[in-house]
Amino acid sequence: MKEKRINLWNDAGKAGLVLGTVSILYMIITLFTGKIAGGGIKAILIGTLNFALWAGKLVLCIWLMRFFLLKFSKSNPSADNNKVFRFGMLVALLSALLYSAFYLVYILYINPNSMAEAFDLAIQQYSASLDAQSLEALENIKSDMPTISFFAQLIWSWLFGTILSAIFSRKIPSDKNNPFTPEEQ
C-alpha cells in the first residue's frame, strides 16, 4: 500500500514536472519576446507570435494531461475513474506548485521592479478616481503582491488542471464502465 502511494507520487511528480516545465518555458520565451518588441509592425508580429505560443502551450498542456492520465490508467489496471481523477489532481497540484514557485522567483529576484512598475502605473491611472485612503491601501498591498500572486497562480493553475482531470477521467478507463463488455473469469 505504501509502495503504491510512493509510485503514485513519483508518477505524478514526473508528470507535474513536465507540465510545469512547459509553462515555465512559455513564460521565459514570452519574456524574451517582450523585450525585443518595439513599435509598429514588429509589435504586431511579436503579439501574434505570443498568442500562437500561448495557444500552443494550452493545447500541449491539455494533450499532456490526457497523455499522463491514459498512461497512469494503463499502468494501473485496477484504477477506476476516481483514482485517475485523483492522480490528475495531484499532477495539477505539483505542476502548479512548480510554475508558481518559478513565478515567485521571477517576481522577487529576476525582475523585482515589474510588480512595482505595474502598481505605480495603476496608481497613476486611478489616482484621480481614488481617495487618499484607497491610494494608501494600494501602497500597503504592494509589498504583499508577490505572495498574493504566488497563491493566485497556484490556485488558478491547480483549478485548471483539476477541471481538466475531471473532464478526462470520466472517459479514461472506459472499458470498466461499459456494461456490455464481457467480464473476465
Side-chain angles (χ1 to χ4, degrees), residues 121-167:
L121 182 64
I123 288 172
Q124 283 177 351
Q125 288 180 344
Y126 297 111
S127 63
S129 62
L130 296 175
D131 61 346
Q133 289 178 341
S134 299
L135 288 173
E136 186 179 334
L138 279 176
E139 285 292 333
N140 293 337
I141 290 175
K142 189 191 293 189
S143 63
D144 295 332
M145 276 312 291
T147 306
I148 292 169
S149 63
F150 169 80
F151 285 108
Q153 286 292 329
L154 180 69
I155 291 167
W156 160 249
S157 300
W158 178 74
L159 187 62
F160 180 77
T162 299
I163 292 170
L164 204 56
S165 177
I167 292 169

Side-chain angles (χ1 to χ4, degrees), residues 3-107:
E3 186 175 312
K4 286 185 180 183
R5 284 188 192 166
I6 291 172
N7 288 338
L8 177 76
W9 278 91
N10 284 340
D11 292 345
K14 291 173 188 173
L17 182 65
V18 171
L19 283 168
T21 302
V22 168
S23 296
I24 289 170
L25 287 175
Y26 163 76
M27 183 179 171
I28 291 171
I29 291 170
T30 56
L31 289 172
F32 284 127
T33 58
K35 291 192 185 289
I36 63 172
I41 191 78
K42 190 175 183 182
I44 294 171
L45 291 174
I46 295 293
T48 305
L49 174 67
N50 284 345
F51 177 75
L53 287 171
W54 172 81
K57 178 199 77 138
L58 182 67
V59 169
L60 181 61
C61 285
I62 291 171
W63 182 82
L64 282 171
M65 178 62 97
R66 185 174 184 276
F67 171 78
F68 287 124
L69 293 177
L70 284 169
K71 185 177 175 184
F72 174 76
S73 178
K74 286 179 184 173
S75 67
N76 297 300
S78 65
D80 59 354
N81 296 65
N82 194 22
K83 288 181 183 175
V84 172
F85 171 68
R86 280 191 245 148
F87 175 76
M89 280 182 57
L90 190 57
V91 169
L93 177 67
L94 295 174
S95 67
L97 189 61
L98 178 66
Y99 176 70
S100 300
F102 178 79
Y103 187 72
L104 182 65
V105 166
Y106 171 76
I107 288 173

